[in-house]
Structure formats: C-alpha cells, structure tokens
Amino acid sequence: MPVRPAPSKARPPRPRVRKKAASAYHHGDLRQALVDAALAAIAEGGLEGLNLRDLARRLGVSPAAPYRHFADKDALVRAVAADIAHRYAAVLAQAAAEAPPDPLSQFRATGVAAVRFAVRHPAHFRVVYTPGLHDHRGDADPTRQALTAAQAAGVVAPIPVDAMMLTAQCAIYGLSRLIVDGQLPGGAVTPAQADAMTRAVTDVLGLGFLPR
Amino acid sequence: MPVRPAPSKARPPRPRVRKKAASAYHHGDLRQALVDAALAAIAEGGLEGLNLRDLARRLGVSPAAPYRHFADKDALVRAVAADIAHRYAAVLAQAAAEAPPDPLSQFRATGVAAVRFAVRHPAHFRVVYTPGLHDHRGDADPTRQALTAAQAAGVVAPIPVDAMMLTAQCAIYGLSRLIVDGQLPGGAVTPAQADAMTRAVTDVLGLGFLPR
DNA sequence: CGGTGGATGTGAGCATCGATTACATCTCTA
DNA sequence: TAGAGATGTAATCGATGCTCACATCCACCG
C-alpha cells in the first residue's frame, strides 16, 4: 500500500520542483540523478540491495522512467561502477603523486590510499572489484616501471619484478577485502587501525624487497 | 510450463522412487537433498543465482516444501555455507598435516591449499568469505604458535608475529580473491598457474620472514 | 488392529522486483 | 506555431520469496 495513494488521481499540473538545471526537461537530469541515487543506495545497502523501483520512488518518478536512460538494470550498474572506479583511480593517483618517487614509497602510499578507500566506502570498494564490472589488469604499470628502474640501480632486491608486484598487490588487496568483509579480529576496523595494519603489511613486504 | 503436467492429476500411489533411506518419509531426506542441490547450484550459478523454486523443481518437490526444513532462504544459505566452510577447513587442515612442521612450510602448504580450493571451487570460496555467513577470526592459530616458537629459536626474523601473520594472510587471501574475481592479467587461471603464483608470493614473503 | 497426531508435502495465492509495451506529455526547433 | 523527438506513465508479465489452509503419510499407542 505504500506504492501510490490512488490509481486515479486528477493529476494536477505536476509538482515538479526539481532543483537546478536551468533548461530542465521533465525531470532535470534523470540519468545523472539515477547514478547519484544509486551511489547513495549502494553505500547504504550494498549492490545486492539496489533496486530500480526504490531509486525511481526516491526521485519521484515512475518505475519505468529509468528505462528511458538505461537499457536495463545492468546498464545502470555498469555506469555506476564506472563512476566509482573513476573516483577510486583518482584517489590512488593522487596518493602516488604526493608521495616520494621511489618504489617503496609509492607502494606504501598507494597501499594506504587503497585501504583507506576500502574502509571509508566499503560497498563502493566491493563494486570496484565485482567480477565483470571492471578490469584491473595493468592498473599499476607506473609502479612497475619505477620498480624495474630501482632494481637496476640496486636499491631493490633482485627478485623477479612480477613476483614483487604480485605479492604487493595481493597483500594490499587482501587486507582491503578482509577489512571490507569484516573477517579480521575485533570486528569493525577504524581508519587508524587500518592505517596501522597497512603500515605493518608494507613493512614486512619492504623487508622482502630490500637487497640483502 | 515445465512445472507439472496437469494441475488435476488423479494422483496414483505417488511415484516416490527416491534412493536409499530405508524408512523413507515422503521424500527420503529432503533437507540434505536441498543442501546438496544448493551446493551444486551455487557451483554453477553462484550464490546470487540460487533460488528455492529451482531447487525444489530439481528435486521434484513443490515450491513450498523447502520451508518445512528451513525457516527461510537465508537459513538454507547459512546451512550450505557451514557445509562449505567445513570442507574448506578440512582441506587446509590436511594440507598443514602433510607438510613439515616448520612455520614457513606450514605457511606455504596452507597457502597453496587455499589458493587451489579457490581455483577449483570459486563460487564456494566466495561463499566462505561472504560477510555474515562465517567468522574467520582466529582461523590460523596453530600457525601462529609455530611461528612464535620458531621466532624464539631464531629461525625467523624478529618481526612482530602479528605483522607477519597479517601479511601472510592478506597475501594469500588477496591472491585467492584476485583469481576468483578474475582480476589478474590473462583471464582465467589454470591450477598450474595458480600454484606458480602462490609459490612466487610465498617466496617473497619468506624473504621478509627470514632473519637477516 | 485401528485410530490419532505430528511431520512432511501440496496448491493456491500475495507482494516485490525486473522488464516490456502502448500511450501521454513536454520541450525544442524548423 | 505545429510537428517531431525526447521523456515519463500506466498497465502488465514472469520470476521469486514467502505464507496459509489443507492433504497425506508414517509412527506410535491403547
């Protein structure tokens, strides 16, 4: 019964009081509004809890309206996933840019940034790594190049770069996921705890990376 | 229409030709059959693709029948998750039992076993680590004790045990998830490739763990 | 040996959700 | 200013989770 008051409403001139959008169409910009609403809904209830009817309801629009902008639910999800992936990549890039250029600093900075993102936006983090929504092959190429150079200079142990990259990636991703999925002792993880754990992990990795 | 031939069947003496179960009730053991069928269905279509009606259909039973054995779908999922977690734990335990008792061998053996399980049963692996279905806090206590002992004997670097445990756990879990979620270059991962990657990761970790 | 009760399964049905279709309405532009 | 295309609506379908009243079957007890 919370669907709609009455199926036969005399239909007044349509109380569309949407915000901005000077040249507003019917809604303003339903497509972007849907993406934003989906972003919020995912943050609250996860990707599984997302449903188009609720989104439409929140935006004061009929359940069929979203289909004017997205072929189906999956298309919306993909758009939202792309949006999230973009933000995630930006966060990592900025962290790398602000850190010293040596490989170990880069590793640690991007690792800390990744884990922080996971702690702050768990549901969004999960979306970024949901199979089929995004490809992460070759994400860390800059770090790889820096690492190869450092190895040539003897600053880093002569282990295969592939192995080092893989290990670092696995450790950081594993830590993020363990936090996001609540599989670590102590239940919920505070940002400070997350930082400490990231530091511990990167320290141990660093020991393996240093020349002996 | 593949549900049932006709809604008004004269109902012959009920063609229940179920397998074993000498003192068979109506079905035999619908509860266990549901768990088994769910196991198979999850392996095929993942946890999201699981639905009770299909399970009932496969077992030749009405859609309401499962509710005689499980309060709701979630209860079934929890039972299946417990079953999977049990198998997973058994695999890890056996791998540890068959490996040499030193901490590094134990790490590698359980790591290899975990990654192999992930490669072989990706959907089941995902279920094991689905939030809310199972708790993994304190899973690796035996390894922790071995590690502490080894450290006292000077076989392992004097890094905080917590940090080493965490790093190893993160790396192995991260590798498993990256494989399961198809986020590694080259798409699908063969068991041989998985073993090689696990070896690479544990090697790098081992370097960090060895005393200098 | 027969009846009774609890466990098990059925059939019908409700609500929600994704998706499609025919139709209405609005905005822009020629 | 009138048509065309973009945008939104109403109605509806099929799948799914879940509930309820009823049927059926087995075990046990007098």
Side-chain angles (χ1 to χ4, degrees):
Chain A
M1 84 213 26
V3 192
R4 218 152 257 256
S8 65
K9 212 161 67 173
R11 171 142 349 197
R14 186 77 98 70
R16 268 290 130 67
V17 210
R18 296 295 156 214
K19 35 242 141 180
K20 51 169 183 178
S23 73
Y25 271 65
H26 301 81
H27 174 95
D29 186 356
L30 184 55
R31 184 191 164 93
Q32 189 55 47
L34 281 167
V35 172
D36 293 344
L39 226 45
I42 290 174
E44 291 168 21
L47 190 56
E48 316 76 39
L50 188 69
N51 81 75
L52 290 191
R53 289 177 119 89
D54 186 50
L55 251 45
R57 223 173 291 140
R58 291 199 205 191
L59 298 174
V61 142
S62 89
Y67 290 92
R68 289 289 159 192
H69 300 272
F70 298 97
D72 52 15
K73 182 185 181 183
D74 199 55
L76 204 196
V77 169
R78 265 182 281 118
V80 175
D83 190 297
I84 296 175
H86 189 264
R87 294 168 195 236
Y88 181 59
V91 166
L92 296 193
Q94 183 180 352
E98 289 173 356
D102 66 287
L104 264 50
S105 299
Q106 293 282 307
F107 266 146
R108 165 166 285 169
T110 52
V112 168
V115 176
R116 276 187 184 158
F117 184 92
V119 172
R120 270 193 260 240
H121 316 289
H124 291 176
F125 180 85
R126 236 181 258 122
V127 170
V128 170
Y129 285 100
T130 295
L133 289 186
H134 189 55
D135 240 344
H136 297 271
R137 288 98 58 111
D139 266 3
D141 259 5
T143 306
R144 163 182 295 277
Q145 290 164 15
L147 190 58
T148 308
Q151 202 168 56
V155 186
V156 173
I159 313 166
V161 170
D162 282 340
M164 294 177 53
M165 292 288 300
L166 179 65
T167 305
Q169 187 186 0
C170 289
I172 292 302
Y173 180 59
L175 177 58
S176 307
R177 276 223 84 107
L178 285 173
I179 292 175
V180 160
D181 296 347
Q183 304 286 3
L184 285 175
V189 172
T190 70
Q193 289 173 323
D195 278 3
M197 286 192 282
T198 312
R199 197 155 38 237
V201 167
T202 53
D203 279 346
V204 174
L205 286 180
L207 285 177
F209 292 173
L210 291 178
R212 306 185 88 83
Chain B
M1 86 221 13
V3 192
R4 219 151 257 257
S8 65
K9 212 161 69 174
R11 172 141 350 199
R14 188 77 97 68
R16 268 289 130 67
V17 210
R18 296 294 158 212
K19 33 246 141 177
K20 52 168 182 176
S23 74
Y25 269 66
H26 301 81
H27 175 94
D29 186 356
L30 183 54
R31 186 193 164 92
Q32 189 55 47
L34 280 167
V35 171
D36 292 344
L39 227 45
I42 289 174
E44 291 167 21
L47 190 56
E48 317 77 37
L50 188 68
N51 81 75
L52 289 192
R53 288 177 120 92
D54 185 51
L55 251 45
R57 224 173 290 139
R58 291 198 205 190
L59 297 174
V61 144
S62 89
Y67 289 91
R68 291 289 161 192
H69 299 272
F70 297 97
D72 52 16
K73 182 184 181 182
D74 199 55
L76 204 195
V77 168
R78 266 181 281 118
V80 175
D83 190 297
I84 295 175
H86 189 265
R87 294 168 195 236
Y88 181 59
V91 165
L92 296 193
Q94 183 180 351
E98 289 173 356
D102 64 288
L104 264 52
S105 299
Q106 293 282 307
F107 266 145
R108 164 165 286 169
T110 52
V112 168
V115 176
R116 276 187 185 159
F117 185 93
V119 172
R120 270 193 260 238
H121 316 289
H124 290 175
F125 180 86
R126 236 182 257 122
V127 169
V128 170
Y129 285 99
T130 295
L133 289 186
H134 190 55
D135 241 346
H136 297 271
R137 313 179 290 182
D139 266 4
D141 259 3
T143 307
R144 164 182 293 276
Q145 291 165 14
L147 189 58
T148 308
Q151 202 169 56
V155 186
V156 173
I159 313 166
V161 170
D162 281 340
M164 293 177 53
M165 291 289 301
L166 179 64
T167 306
Q169 187 186 359
C170 289
I172 292 302
Y173 180 59
L175 176 58
S176 307
R177 275 223 86 108
L178 285 173
I179 292 175
V180 160
D181 296 346
Q183 304 286 3
L184 285 175
V189 172
T190 70
Q193 289 172 323
D195 278 3
M197 286 192 281
T198 312
R199 198 155 35 239
V201 167
T202 53
D203 279 347
V204 174
L205 287 180
L207 286 176
F209 292 172
L210 291 179
R212 306 186 88 84

